[in-house]
Amino acid sequence: MHLTAEHAKCSGCRACLLVCALENFREINPARAALAIAGHFPSPGTFSIRVCDQCGACAEVCPVEAIYLKDDVYLIDAQECTGCLTCVDVCPNEVLFPPINGDDCPVKCTSCGACVSICPRDALHLEGD
Amino acid sequence: MLFGYAGTILCVDAGSGKIDKQPLPPSLAERFIGGRGFVAKLLWDRLPPDTDALAPENVWLAATGPLTGHLLPASGKTHFGAKSPATGGYADSNMGGHFGPALKYAGYDVLMITGRADAPSILVIDNQSVALRPADAWWGTGALTCETALKKELGEDFQILTIGPAGEKQVRFACMSHDFGRQAGRTGLGAVLGSKNIKAIAVRGSGGLTAFDLEGVYQAGRQAFDKVKAKPGFAGWTPEGTAGITNWVNEVGVFPTRNFKTSYADFYKNINGQAILEHLKITDKGCYCCPTPCGKYGKAKTVLGTVFVEGPEYESIALLGGNCLLSKIEEVAYANWVCDELGLDTISAGAVASWAIECFEKGLLSQEQIGRDVAFGDLAAVAHLLEIMAARKGIGDLLAEGVMRAARQIGGGSEDFAIHVKGLEWTGYECRNAPGMMLAYMTADIGAHHNRAWVLGHDMAGSAANVHDLVSAGGSGDKIGKATIKDKEKPVIELQHIRPLFDCLGICRLQYMELGFEGDNYADLFQLITGRSLTWQNLLAVSERVWQLTRTFSVREIADFGRQYDYPPARFSNEPVPSGPNEGHCLSRDELDALLDAYYAARGWDKNGIPTAAALERVGLEDISRELAACR
């Protein structure tokens, strides 16, 4: 399963970011989110959404093989991760985020679908491979 | 631990550069909740009495509430306040967007700025790092231009608040701008920031918030989104946002036109919500966590140029479109953009422009004074007036003082059609056949503003329905108008507690007011976040406390404050509506006094509108009562 986005539907409210942090970390902190919204203002006046499409580029470069595939979703084994951030550098969608607030492990999408269900604009979708 | 709060007041002395992080007093949260309540109490406590609004000693505040930044529908509100440059009394203005949540994620419930920087400055708050930087490169730039540059320099994850040239010039109705279209527009707070030499504030927050019951509020928050999505207004109200009311206000005849001389525009379908969708809109633009984005961001082509602009919202349609007779939505949007870039409140600026045009028509202002001919319906004339008032150029220096002060200077009867209360220009509802709404404007604590008690539904349709249901029914309701002026204080007072409560909580009221998302939901969410078991009625009691305090603040700050400050302009008593659905109606001085008498009595205020000691003590403001007595 992986996320897809319809940019034109996005209103930039960022509820998806906050629910992502809550669902995956039980934190009220959108800086923990594994997706991103960018506003392009004043011109052209649009939003774009960056989501993980589970392409696996992160797993390919992980030097300690801490990123593994489970049910078509790439997940990070926090016990194995050394925090080298090689995966962050190669992510083509720029949605693997460096650790914050003292953590060691990067933040990566788990395809949990919380963002899909909260989005009031129906701009996010979870699709099967 | 104060669950739901960041726990810190960030105090910045712009003069000395001193940064002081003070713990949020638990008693402040307990008695005043947050947002507007914090603004009111901190102003009372920290502003030296009789301070000039544009003096360094004025206290500029940005405050969040306990619900700000949580996973709840529309939790992106920030409440700003200071002593008002427009009225000399209590001032606040709130704004959506993403600034407040960022401030709270950075670790602060309140940002307080005092003093005056020696040189133009930008305040940069990057979590715990707080610093003033030189702003010479940006001083003089437009508010939108400055935000664009700072976003580029600092990064997308900074939330930016800016003022335009109007704020720098301390125009008494200068606003603050954020997120390319959100404004804290009213009461001249942009002028206060300008008087402190602060051009912009940039905030990045990457810390988390606390909640008393994290799992509970997470699940309740998700359910709240589902409940809002299930309301009829979710699909019906959202597409046009606030502009969707334009048809209804014309159908019932309360749409201000020609500087409030008339109250209907035959071209209203050219400037309504549908016109925005057909001629302007690029995207819906939502505030933080908002499921019903009222922001409509678009592109407008006019003979004066092509601009990207958010809006126009209904109030801008009313004051720039109706009141200045701009009859195409692109023209309204262009004037809206001029205001946004210059940092002018579209409401007050539209009212000042229309007042100036009427003065020109009556020969009270000349072509030589203004710099050109001006007329209703002339976009170039309106844009010219906006530009000279923002720059304080020529007669613009007087216009920048607002209609009350300008009319006192110009005279010639212009005070009769200077449409304001207390010095704050009137918003988008004409009230000569709407005594409830008239009373709401007369008694709003910041001056002539609608959002404290929007009782037009009672006046024009005999209905207390949410706005979506009211407008969906069209202008066919049971219009009461001024058939009776009795008991109008009851819905006014009720709404003066309900609507400002959301400003205390730090969350948008529109899901409640426009869609009917029930109040008990907010009490439940408040309890899950803070751990405090307050019912909806308990919360409203706090809101009443804040209302009594804001009135008392103006009593303290304005030497002769009282009933005389609550009257609307003479036009509304002496000039019956000349045409349209409410033709022939006006409200006499006796009727206005009857409205005020009933209101004051219900509030526990004396005949002059001054809160009595008993009224203050009844809402737990014994300390305020004592301190007021000591001041007077």
Side-chain angles (χ1 to χ4, degrees), chain B residues 327-350:
Chain B
S327 60
K328 295 178 181 174
I329 194 65
E330 294 91 339
E331 294 179 341
V332 181
Y334 185 86
N336 193 151
W337 174 83
V338 172
C339 289
D340 289 358
E341 180 71 338
L342 296 176
L344 294 166
D345 170 27
T346 55
I347 296 169
S348 285

Side-chain angles (χ1 to χ4, degrees), chain B residues 41-162:
Chain B
K41 185 58 163 59
L42 289 169
L43 270 180
W44 179 270
D45 288 344
R46 306 211 182 185
L47 182 88
D50 301 323
T51 298
D52 185 275
L54 297 171
E57 292 77 15
N58 198 358
V59 176
W60 181 97
L61 292 154
T64 64
L67 271 56
T68 304
H70 284 272
L71 186 72
L72 309 172
S75 63
K77 282 286 188 179
T78 319
H79 213 75
F80 300 91
K83 180 171 178 173
S84 174
T87 71
Y90 174 77
D92 68 28
S93 187
N94 73 71
M95 178 186 81
H98 306 262
F99 185 84
L103 187 67
K104 206 166 162 186
Y105 295 139
Y108 313 104
D109 300 293
V110 180
L111 167 62
M112 185 173 85
I113 304 176
T114 54
R116 175 181 292 156
D118 292 337
S121 302
I122 293 170
L123 178 63
V124 180
I125 302 168
D126 189 358
N127 290 295
Q128 290 304 299
S129 168
V130 182
L132 285 162
R133 296 185 188 174
D136 301 296
W138 312 123
W139 201 252
T141 61
L144 303 171
T145 300
C146 183
E147 181 174 11
T148 306
L150 289 177
K151 277 274 188 186
K152 188 174 181 181
E153 178 183 326
L154 297 171
E156 173 73 17
D157 49 353
F158 274 86
Q159 299 300 330
I160 313 288
L161 183 81
T162 62

Side-chain angles (χ1 to χ4, degrees), chain A residues 10-15 18-19 22-23 26 28-31 38-39 41-45 47 100-101 114 117-121, chain B residues 69-71 98 105 148 156 180 206-209 214-215 218 222 229 234 282-284 286-291 293 297 308:
Chain A
C10 179
S11 70
C13 82
R14 295 168 171 80
L18 188 49
V19 79
L22 272 158
E23 179 65 24
R26 287 298 190 267
I28 308 165
N29 182 4
F41 295 92
S43 169
F47 293 99
I100 64 166
N101 299 343
S117 61
I118 202 76
C119 178
R121 313 287 300 171
Chain B
H70 284 272
L71 186 72
H98 306 262
Y105 295 139
T148 306
E156 173 73 17
F180 304 100
S206 52
L209 305 183
L214 179 69
E215 190 63 30
Y218 177 35
R222 292 183 67 150
K229 290 180 196 175
F234 179 71
I282 297 171
T283 186
D284 291 321
C287 299
Y288 192 65
C289 285
C290 179
Y297 194 86
F308 288 84

Side-chain angles (χ1 to χ4, degrees), chain B residues 412-618:
Chain B
S414 65
E415 286 164 298
D416 292 353
F417 56 86
I419 311 299
H420 72 95
V421 176
K422 300 179 179 65
L424 186 72
E425 289 76 15
W426 206 281
T427 66
Y429 309 97
E430 197 287 315
C431 298
R432 278 171 284 185
N433 193 27
M437 194 69 217
M438 184 73 87
L439 181 62
Y441 274 114
M442 293 161 73
T443 57
D445 49 9
I446 61 169
H449 198 54
H450 60 282
N451 81 343
R452 309 297 148 118
W454 194 89
V455 294
L456 265 179
H458 296 74
D459 285 324
M460 290 291 122
S463 170
N466 68 70
V467 175
H468 170 68
D469 291 348
L470 185 67
V471 171
S472 296
S476 59
D478 180 17
K479 185 187 284 190
I480 298 170
K482 57 171 289 189
T484 176
I485 60 167
K486 285 187 177 177
D487 296 329
K488 297 298 179 185
E489 74 282 1
K490 292 176 181 173
V492 169
I493 290 174
E494 181 184 13
L495 283 171
Q496 284 176 340
H497 297 162
I498 293 174
R499 296 172 69 103
L501 172 60
F502 292 90
D503 302 336
C504 296
L505 294 170
I507 195 164
C508 184
R509 71 179 180 278
L510 293 187
Q511 286 65 39
Y512 175 94
M513 302 304 316
E514 316 286 342
L515 276 67
F517 182 56
E518 298 81 0
D520 287 343
N521 291 303
Y522 294 95
D524 292 344
L525 293 164
F526 177 82
Q527 181 175 346
L528 289 166
I529 289 170
T530 66
R532 294 178 63 199
S533 299
L534 297 185
T535 64
W536 178 243
Q537 290 303 319
N538 295 149
L539 290 168
L540 291 175
V542 177
S543 190
E544 181 180 7
R545 179 181 298 147
V546 177
W547 192 269
Q548 296 283 6
L549 177 56
T550 60
R551 179 79 175 188
T552 306
F553 178 86
S554 292
V555 171
R556 189 186 82 175
E557 294 299 313
I558 301 172
D560 58 349
F561 190 77
R563 178 183 290 252
Q564 62 175 317
Y565 282 81
D566 290 338
Y567 289 118
R571 165 160 284 170
F572 293 161
S573 297
N574 300 341
E575 295 182 38
V577 179
S579 60
N582 293 315
E583 181 177 347
H585 288 294
C586 64
L587 284 163
S588 70
R589 188 75 166 206
D590 286 346
E591 288 170 321
L592 298 176
D593 275 325
L595 287 166
L596 287 176
D597 287 343
Y599 179 90
Y600 293 166
R603 280 282 182 208
W605 299 351
D606 69 16
K607 292 285 186 186
N608 193 32
I610 308 299
T612 61
L616 296 178
E617 289 164 9
R618 186 176 59 78

Side-chain angles (χ1 to χ4, degrees), chain B residues 251-311:
Chain B
E251 289 160 6
V252 301
V254 297
F255 188 61
T257 43
R258 295 184 177 275
N259 193 32
F260 286 83
K261 188 178 183 66
T262 48
S263 56
Y264 174 84
D266 56 10
F267 57 82
Y268 73 86
K269 289 186 178 175
N270 295 339
I271 58 171
N272 64 6
Q274 191 61 36
I276 292 175
L277 302 186
E278 291 177 4
H279 301 292
L280 303 177
K281 185 188 156 188
I282 297 171
T283 186
D284 291 321
K285 189 157 167 283
C287 299
Y288 192 65
C289 285
C290 179
T292 58
C294 57
K296 310 298 159 195
Y297 194 86
K299 182 179 182 181
K301 293 181 180 178
T302 73
V303 294
L304 298 183
T306 299
V307 294
F308 288 84
V309 61
E310 182 171 332

